Amino acid sequence: MALVLTEEQSMLRDSAHGLISDRAPVSHLRQLRDSNDATGFSRELWKTFAEMGFAGLLVPEEFGGSGLGAVEAGVVMEEIGRSLMPSPFLSTAVLAASALARGGSAAQKSDYLPKISAGSLLAAFAVDEGPKHRPLKTTLQAARSGNGFRLNGAKALVVDGHVADLLIVAARTTGQAGERDGLTLFLVDPKTRGIATERTIMVDSHNAARIEFDDVEVNADHVLGEVDQGFALLEGVLNIGRGAVASEMVGLSEEVFGRTVSYLKERKQFGKAIGEFQALQHRAAQLYIDIEITRAAVLKAQQALDGDISGAAAAVAVAKARAGATATRAVQEGVQMHGGMGMTDQFDIGFFMKRARVCEELFGDANFHADQLARMKSY
């Protein structure tokens, strides 16, 4: 399959770009940060997102969505990356919608997916428990109790967890940490007795939460997928999320590159634009090449996800690892080429550097995915 967008996907990109660039430039994030906004994003803008169909991109048509795929989600995420727009798109429209569409019962789909598509329900995916992404290391316990389960443990770095109306929680019903078998996904109301949520504003001024579960009771109807066999569903949804975050990093990298090239043309030293110095030209050219190669790798991974999600893990690992490395290089070059001013708060480059660092860690950094790929290839 050609590594280019179709006409329909290009139209989606243009539509997303028009809305996001107009309503959510980087100054929008700066304003939310400086005002200590309690939500951390614009609910009004999210409503507009839903009205334009973005919230339901991955929701099947019979539940009010568009029934599109990972490529289309990546198109929107790339535009989000260009402006650093704080939004529940990743947590709700990508992760939660994918999990419910792929693993939900008929009743669960009918209950939640139309609300996600309409923008009236926010959801969060609670997986990680420590500072690093290690889904197999899940230790949050789900012990059988009556006709349901009792949850005990804690989750960290739950993106948009402080505003979620629904939590999708990975828990261990059997086995030990590190084992694939024994993982189960649960749909949990965050207002359930025994849940304590602490908002944690990340270094990039986006939102996450730490959530503690103390004897939280859920019934069997709240199981998403199969008991003890939730890893395949979990990994598939995480790969969709990884592809989406990789697209965000592509958009972030390209925006930083564009801003840096513009600065190289404007900033004068020794009587000429610093962009005329060959050393800087070489560095800019290499970064451009890196971004284009990464863009192709990310699109390839998303096409693989849409084609056969069970066989897409290797392509996703390559894409996420490379996107993280490219974004890191882009923001480092951007800050350096802006000189000392690049580290000041009055310049937006610092916002991009912080977001790149968070995205690198989100759902596995380059080292995590290099290790995953090595294991797949039996190195």
Side-chain angles (χ1 to χ4, degrees), residues 237-304:
V237 173
L238 284 173
N239 278 336
I240 293 172
R242 289 160 181 157
V245 174
S247 277
E248 181 178 355
M249 288 192 283
V250 169
L252 180 157
S253 300
E254 190 165 57
E255 179 67 19
V256 169
F257 175 76
R259 289 170 179 247
T260 302
V261 169
S262 295
Y263 183 77
L264 294 180
K265 294 176 180 179
E266 296 167 0
R267 176 76 166 91
K268 294 186 181 296
Q269 193 170 17
F270 305 116
K272 61 180 181 179
I274 61 175
E276 296 182 41
F277 296 118
Q278 195 173 56
L280 296 183
Q281 291 176 355
H282 287 170
R283 288 165 62 180
Q286 185 60 57
L287 178 56
Y288 174 80
I289 293 169
D290 281 355
I291 293 172
E292 291 305 308
I293 293 175
T294 298
R295 185 194 306 282
V298 172
L299 182 54
K300 179 66 175 179
Q302 290 164 348
Q303 289 174 347

